[in-house]
Amino acid sequence: GESVGLHLPTLSVQEGDNSIINCAYSNSASDYFIWYKQESGKGPQFIIDIRSNMDKRQGQRVTVLLNKTVKHLSLQIAATQPGDSAVYFCAENSPNSGYALNFGKGTSLLVTP
Amino acid sequence: SAVISQKPSRDICQRGTSLTIQCQVDSQVTMMFWYRQQPGQSLTLIATANQGSEATYESGFVIDKFPISRPNLTFSTLTVSNMSPEDSSIYLCSVGAAGDTEAFFGQGTRLTVV
């Protein structure tokens, strides 16, 4: 029979507004976190990363916040643009998992004019 | 940043056949990984491609189904063997060592098995 994929959580924002995408992780040993953006038909594109010895890191229009106490990661996008529409994944790495990444489920961001 | 080329970018294959996906990097890299992304889902690690030794497979993935080659520090292949419709996915090559360097991805190979 036909298989149906899971529906990703969707965040809809208006152009110019700020976006916040959240991610929870479960491994308390995770010490490195990355946010990726994936547009349709493309591979994941690195956005920003943060190590566990930090709680905030800023890039161009993006900020990543890390709360190790509650194992929560967020990506803030300032002045969201239509080109920001994509699926966003958080990924984590821990010392006991080698160098590979464990990905979260993803959030679909839709920016409306 | 590393430039990663995957071939083919997409293919439609008959069930029972095999497809080999190639991943070429423009610089020598220590770590190469193969991921699978099923329709509408996140990425799942298949294996780590080790240069000079057998690949290291994650739980649920076996060498007979997904044989991997890593002949040098710039190239790797993943074969999807004896395909069934359940193998229809995007297969992605990744390079870099998370936590050490940025982990970059190829554009992926979109496989449809009919």
Side-chain angles (χ1 to χ4, degrees):
Chain A
E2 185 180 33
S3 63
V4 179
L6 295 172
H7 292 288
L8 294 171
T10 299
L11 174 65
S12 184
V13 299
Q14 281 206 310
E15 182 178 358
D17 287 351
N18 297 332
S19 304
I20 301 177
I21 301 171
N22 297 303
C23 180
Y25 64 96
S26 58
N27 187 356
S28 58
S30 298
D31 62 357
Y32 180 63
F33 306 85
I34 307 176
W35 280 101
Y36 284 95
K37 171 186 180 183
Q38 188 177 29
E39 297 173 286
S40 180
K42 297 184 178 181
Q45 176 188 359
F46 176 95
I47 301 174
I48 191 168
D49 61 357
I50 188 169
R51 298 185 184 275
S52 60
N53 61 352
M54 304 171 69
D55 53 21
K56 180 179 180 179
R57 189 160 187 231
Q58 289 185 291
Q60 186 178 18
R61 279 203 308 121
V62 295
T63 301
V64 55
L65 299 177
L66 174 62
N67 185 330
K68 294 181 289 295
T69 303
V70 296
K71 301 191 189 69
H72 184 268
L73 192 68
S74 69
L75 176 70
Q76 300 178 1
I77 304 174
T80 314
Q81 303 168 358
D84 295 326
S85 294
V87 177
Y88 289 80
F89 293 98
C90 65
E92 57 87 11
N93 174 257
S94 60
N96 59 4
S97 65
Y99 291 101
L101 293 168
N102 182 37
F103 279 79
K105 294 190 183 303
T107 297
S108 178
L109 176 66
L110 177 63
V111 182
T112 56
Chain B
S1 64
V3 177
I4 305 164
S5 302
Q6 269 188 250
K7 288 195 296 187
S9 58
R10 58 177 62 231
D11 207 344
I12 301 173
C13 301
Q14 296 289 325
R15 67 177 67 200
T17 63
S18 297
L19 176 71
T20 295
I21 302 167
Q22 299 179 4
C23 178
Q24 179 74 54
V25 190
D26 67 342
S27 58
Q28 292 187 339
V29 293
T30 305
M31 312 297 293
M32 293 184 78
F33 307 93
W34 288 98
Y35 288 81
R36 181 175 74 182
Q37 186 175 26
Q38 294 180 300
Q41 297 194 32
S42 187
L43 284 76
T44 301
L45 180 67
I46 298 172
T48 302
N50 303 307
Q51 197 268 330
S53 64
E54 278 195 357
T56 306
Y57 289 84
E58 298 299 305
S59 176
F61 298 95
V62 295
I63 187 171
D64 289 347
K65 177 67 176 177
F66 297 103
I68 287 171
S69 79
R70 179 86 195 273
N72 56 52
L73 293 175
T74 64
F75 186 78
S76 178
T77 67
L78 169 76
T79 298
V80 187
S81 302
N82 188 25
M83 289 183 284
S84 67
E86 290 71 32
D87 294 320
S88 297
S89 287
I90 300 171
Y91 292 86
L92 295 140
C93 169
S94 171
V95 304
D100 183 16
T101 61
E102 295 178 8
F104 295 98
F105 284 82
Q107 293 286 68
T109 296
R110 184 178 294 271
L111 171 62
T112 303
V113 183
V114 297

